């Protein structure tokens, strides 16, 4: 498999020390994700939306719905970590969620609207957090890791750009 197609912007790499400046940059990236996604899918036909971004990968439509699913889960994980002491989060089977009817057959406008509203709320929350809030953690039972909120912030800033790059690189390869 071509790793450039799977990871068009590379794999997420978190700095050892996360500065306030870095957190603000990641928040800005999360804030821009819905608009960047809308721009990436602008003008695509239904046939193009149902095209996988790579062989064996999700369709553009599934990617859009996945971003809404995944970012909802992340926002909830932030809230759990802010209100509980190192809570164990509930993982979900994203590959199976992507096969459900709401990810394969529903119009993408629903997830675009959801993502806009979600990111608006999420950014308000993120901007209100103190440096010590970003040190709070949750436990991820699949990876068996304790995850700090500042690292999760970076991961989801990357995650949005990662999937948008799946779409934009497909458009480029296909000449759309």
């Amino acid at each position: 498999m071509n790793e450039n197609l799977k990871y068009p912007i590379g794999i997420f790499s978190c700095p050892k020390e996360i500065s306030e400046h870095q957190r603000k940059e990641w928040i800005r990236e999360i804030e821009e994700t819905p608009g960047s996604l809308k721009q990436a899918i602008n003008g695509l036909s239904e046939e193009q939306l149902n095209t996988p971004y790579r062989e064996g990968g999700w369709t553009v439509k599934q990617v859009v719905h996945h971003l809404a699913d995944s970012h909802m889960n992340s926002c909830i994980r932030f809230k759990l970590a802010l209100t509980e002491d190192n809570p164990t989060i509930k993982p979900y089977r994203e590959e199976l969620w992507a096969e459900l009817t709401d990810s394969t057959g529903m119009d993408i406008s629903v997830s675009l609207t959801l993502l806009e509203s979600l990111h608006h709320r999420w950014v308000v929350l993120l901007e209100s957090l103190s440096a010590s809030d970003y040190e709070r953690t949750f436990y991820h039972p699949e990876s068996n890791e304790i995850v700090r909120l500042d690292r999760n912030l970076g991961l989801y800033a990357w995650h949005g750009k990662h999937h948008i790059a799946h779409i934009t690189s497909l458009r480029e390869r296909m000449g759309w």
Side-chain angles (χ1 to χ4, degrees):
M1 174 192 335
N2 184 335
E3 287 297 305
N4 290 334
L5 295 180
K6 189 172 182 180
Y7 294 103
I9 64 169
I11 296 173
F12 175 65
S13 176
C14 190
K16 287 186 188 227
E17 297 295 321
I18 300 171
S19 66
E20 179 180 355
H21 175 76
Q22 180 64 77
R23 287 193 305 269
K24 285 181 179 180
E25 177 64 21
W26 286 337
I27 293 169
R28 185 189 60 74
E29 291 172 5
I30 286 175
E31 184 173 34
E32 292 174 352
T33 296
S36 297
L37 179 60
K38 274 188 171 181
Q39 186 175 357
I41 56 94
N42 186 40
L44 292 179
S45 68
E46 192 64 24
E47 181 181 348
Q48 291 166 328
L49 290 171
N50 286 309
T51 302
Y53 72 88
R54 65 174 171 83
E55 187 177 327
W58 291 332
T59 65
V60 172
K61 183 182 282 188
Q62 286 172 302
V63 169
V64 171
H65 293 305
H66 164 72
L67 280 167
D69 288 341
S70 178
H71 290 206
M72 278 190 298
N73 272 283
S74 183
C75 187
I76 289 167
R77 291 170 182 177
F78 266 83
K79 289 181 166 236
L80 288 169
L82 290 166
T83 59
E84 299 176 24
D85 186 27
N86 193 42
T88 299
I89 57 96
K90 172 84 171 89
Y92 71 102
R93 301 279 308 274
E94 64 182 34
E95 72 283 1
L96 297 179
W97 284 34
E99 297 300 326
L100 295 172
T101 303
D102 66 325
S103 294
T104 60
M106 188 172 65
D107 188 276
I108 60 169
S109 64
V110 174
S111 283
L112 290 171
T113 300
L114 190 157
L115 207 61
E116 274 184 323
S117 296
L118 174 67
H119 277 237
H120 183 81
R121 271 191 79 172
W122 199 7
V123 166
V124 167
L125 176 66
L126 295 170
E127 288 178 337
S128 76
L129 302 182
S130 67
S132 62
D133 289 332
Y134 278 105
E135 293 174 7
R136 294 186 65 88
T137 60
F138 60 81
Y139 174 70
H140 198 303
E142 271 186 351
S143 61
N144 197 28
E145 309 182 76
I146 293 176
V147 180
R148 279 177 48 136
L149 289 184
D150 53 4
R151 181 186 186 284
N152 205 53
L153 173 66
L155 177 63
Y156 277 84
W158 170 86
H159 186 257
K161 293 187 304 184
H162 164 71
H163 284 301
I164 291 167
H166 284 149
I167 298 166
T168 57
S169 63
L170 172 66
R171 288 187 80 143
E172 189 175 304
R173 287 191 317 278
M174 300 298 279
W176 295 341

